[in-house]
Amino acid sequence: MQLVVARIGRAHGIKGEVTVEVRTDEPELRLGPGAVLATDPAATGPLTIESGRVHSGRLLLRFEGVRDRTGAEALRNTLLIADVDPEELPEDEDEFYDHQLIDLDVVLADGTEIGRITEISHLPSQDLFIVERPDGSEVMIPFVEEIVSEIDLAEQRAVITPPPGLIDESEAVVVSSRDEEAESDEVAAEESSEAPKGDV
């Protein structure tokens, strides 16, 4: 099975290094020196990682045969793809590969069906489940412990406890600017009535 493990970003410096947007929980395994990765577009690869280092919180990679900034820039936006055994599981039992999560049914704790995971969006701050509802609409669910309470691969489902408004917008608590203005006017009126009166 092939999985996207990174996307190449901008060139860094003049010696062929590139920044990468990591899309795997195991970069030290998938993006280590010597790893040979397929690419999308395919004509760009395969690419062999020569070295890697972290700089200012970003992973920088250098590939064999890429020696200057021009070569590095030519790789920009290329997806790096690793071959992964479908039966292989992450070392941490609380981590999952994307292919394990795609197509899981998303349900509430009481069994209410929400939809099906069709995509995992990897953002810098957190991962998101893109969930297709039965009516064809989509909802984004943050993959965080406070919301996703259980991943049951045997039952092929993800159990969630969403905050009000995440699934059903009608449940969201919204304070309109008009309400805020009215509240501030009331506070101002109270403060003026409490203010000490000057001598007449």
Side-chain angles (χ1 to χ4, degrees), residues 122-200:
H122 298 280
L123 303 179
S125 57
Q126 64 188 14
D127 293 338
L128 291 175
F129 290 163
I130 310 301
V131 177
E132 182 178 315
R133 306 290 300 272
D135 63 5
S137 63
E138 288 186 340
V139 61
M140 292 182 288
I141 298 176
F143 187 17
V144 294
E145 189 176 352
E146 296 82 5
I147 296 175
V148 182
S149 58
E150 181 186 3
I151 297 292
D152 188 337
L153 295 181
E155 294 294 329
Q156 287 289 289
R157 67 177 191 169
V159 181
I160 64 170
T161 53
L166 182 64
I167 303 300
D168 187 348
E169 293 182 1
S170 66
E171 296 178 358
V173 178
V174 179
V175 179
S176 71
S177 57
R178 182 177 301 171
D179 292 339
E180 291 176 348
E181 289 172 7
E183 186 176 326
S184 62
D185 288 343
E186 289 176 9
V187 171
E190 289 176 6
E191 289 176 349
S192 63
S193 64
E194 294 171 1
K197 302 287 191 296
D199 294 334
V200 177

Side-chain angles (χ1 to χ4, degrees), residues 8 44 51 76 80 90 93 95 105 125 127 136 148 172 176 181-182 198:
I8 297 177
T44 306
S51 63
R76 189 167 184 176
L80 300 176
E93 63 180 17
E95 294 182 352
D105 292 323
S125 57
D127 293 338
V148 182
S176 71
E181 289 172 7

Side-chain angles (χ1 to χ4, degrees), residues 64-78:
E64 290 183 5
V66 180
R67 290 284 173 264
D68 56 28
R69 188 177 183 87
T70 301
E73 281 290 356
L75 298 176
R76 189 167 184 176
N77 292 325
T78 296

